[in-house]
C-alpha cells in the first residue's frame, strides 16, 4: 500500500487521431500501398473502420494473404516520407499536456504503431518533450488488449489513471487495464460508435480532460 502511494499518477494517450490529426496522411499511404501493388484501394470509410489495428490485419481484410507483406512494405516505405504532409497536433493538445505535467502527471503514448515509428512521428510532431514515454506495440497483443498500456505504465513505474483515445479499441484497452476512459470524437471513430464502448467521458475536444482528471493527482507535487 505504501509503495502504491508513492507511485505518481499517469495518463496514457493513443497517438493517431487522439493527440495528432494524422488520418489524411495515413489514408494516403494506404492508397499508395494498394496502388503500388496494383490493387484497387477500399473506400476511406472502410479503412477508417479498421485504423488503429495493426497494418497486417487491415491489409488482410482487403487483399489475399500472399499480397499482405508487399502492401505493408509499400506502406512503411511511403508513410515516414509523408507523415508530416498534413499531420499536426490537434488544437489544445500541447497546452493540455503542459498543464497536466505541471499538476504532477506522467504522460505516455500507447500506440499500435511500432515503437521506432511512433518515436519518429512523435518527434516530427514536436511532442517528444511533452511526453515521458512512447510505447509502441512490438510483437505482443495489440489494443483492445491492455498490454501496450500496461507496458507504458510499467516503463514509468506509474499508477494509471486515464486512457485517452479515439477508437473503441482504445476504450476497451483502457477498461481492460482498469483505467478511466476518455474518448475523443475528433479522430477515427465517430461519437455513435464510441458511445457503444461506454467510455467514462465522450468529448469533441481535449480541454475537458483537465476537469475530468481532477483529484487523481492530489498529494502530488509537480
Ligand atoms: Mg487512434
Amino acid at each position: 500500500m505504501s509503495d502504491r502511494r508513492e507511485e505518481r499518477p499517469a495518463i496514457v494517450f493513443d497517438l493517431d487521431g487522439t493527440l495528432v490529426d494524422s488520418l489524411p496522411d495515413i489514408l494516403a499511404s494506404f492508397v499508395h500501398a494498394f496502388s503500388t501493388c496494383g490493387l484497387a484501394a477500399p473506400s476511406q470509410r472502410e479503412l477508417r473502420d479498421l485504423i488503429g489495428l495493426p497494418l497486417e490485419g487491415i491489409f488482410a481484410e482487403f487483399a489475399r494473404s500472399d499480397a499482405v507483406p508487399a502492401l505493408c512494405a509499400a506502406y512503411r516505405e511511403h508513410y515516414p516520407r509523408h507523415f508530416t504532409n498534413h499531420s499536426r497536433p490537434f488544437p489544445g493538445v500541447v497546452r493540455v499536456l503542459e498543464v497536466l505535467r505541471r499538476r504532477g502527471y506522467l504522460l505516455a503514448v500507447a500506440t499500435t504503431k511500432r515503437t521506432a515509428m511512433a518515436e519518429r512521428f512523435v518527434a516530427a510532431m514536436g511532442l517528444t518533450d511533452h511526453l515521458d514515454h512512447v510505447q509502441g506495440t512490438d510483437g505482443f497483443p495489440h489494443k483492445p488488449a491492455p498490454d501496450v498500456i500496461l507496458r507504458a505504465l510499467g516503463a514509468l513505474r506509474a499508477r494509471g489513471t486515464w486512457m485517452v483515445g479515439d477508437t473503441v479499441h482504445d476504450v476497451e484497452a483502457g477498461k481492460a487495464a482498469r483505467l478511466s476512459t476518455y474518448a475523443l470524437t475528433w479522430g477515427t471513430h465517430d461519437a455513435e460508435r464510441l458511445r457503444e464502448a461506454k467510455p467514462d467521458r465522450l468529448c469533441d475536444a481535449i480541454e475537458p480532460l483537465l476537469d475530468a482528471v481532477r483529484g487523481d493527482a492530489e498529494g502530488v507535487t509537480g
Side-chain angles (χ1 to χ4, degrees), residues 26 29-34 37 39 42 47 50 53-65 67-76:
I26 289 173
S29 289
F30 273 107
V31 170
H32 168 84
F34 283 105
C37 294
L39 299 169
L47 284 167
L50 297 172
L53 297 173
L55 273 189
E56 288 80 0
I58 297 174
F59 282 122
E61 288 289 322
F62 305 109
R64 286 172 31 172
S65 59
V68 169
L71 285 161
C72 290
Y75 181 100
R76 290 191 172 114

Side-chain angles (χ1 to χ4, degrees), residues 108-161:
V109 154
T111 174
T112 305
K113 272 184 163 70
R114 294 175 179 178
T115 298
M117 184 76 85
E119 287 177 340
R120 281 177 70 182
F121 186 54
V122 163
M125 292 297 105
L127 294 176
T128 303
D129 291 343
H130 298 287
L131 296 164
D132 298 289
H133 183 67
V134 175
Q135 181 65 57
T137 303
D138 306 311
F140 52 79
H142 58 81
K143 294 181 253 182
D147 301 48
V148 68
I149 296 172
L150 298 176
R151 285 187 188 233
L153 295 172
L156 293 171
R157 297 170 174 264
R159 168 174 60 87
T161 58

Side-chain angles (χ1 to χ4, degrees), residues 146-191:
D147 301 48
V148 68
I149 296 172
L150 298 176
R151 285 187 188 233
L153 295 172
L156 293 171
R157 297 170 174 264
R159 168 174 60 87
T161 58
W162 286 76
M163 172 67 196
V164 183
D166 71 310
T167 70
V168 296
H169 315 300
D170 296 313
V171 175
E172 290 168 2
K175 288 174 184 262
R178 300 186 170 204
L179 273 56
S180 299
T181 53
Y182 186 101
L184 279 158
T185 60
W186 63 22
T188 306
H189 288 164
D190 61 25

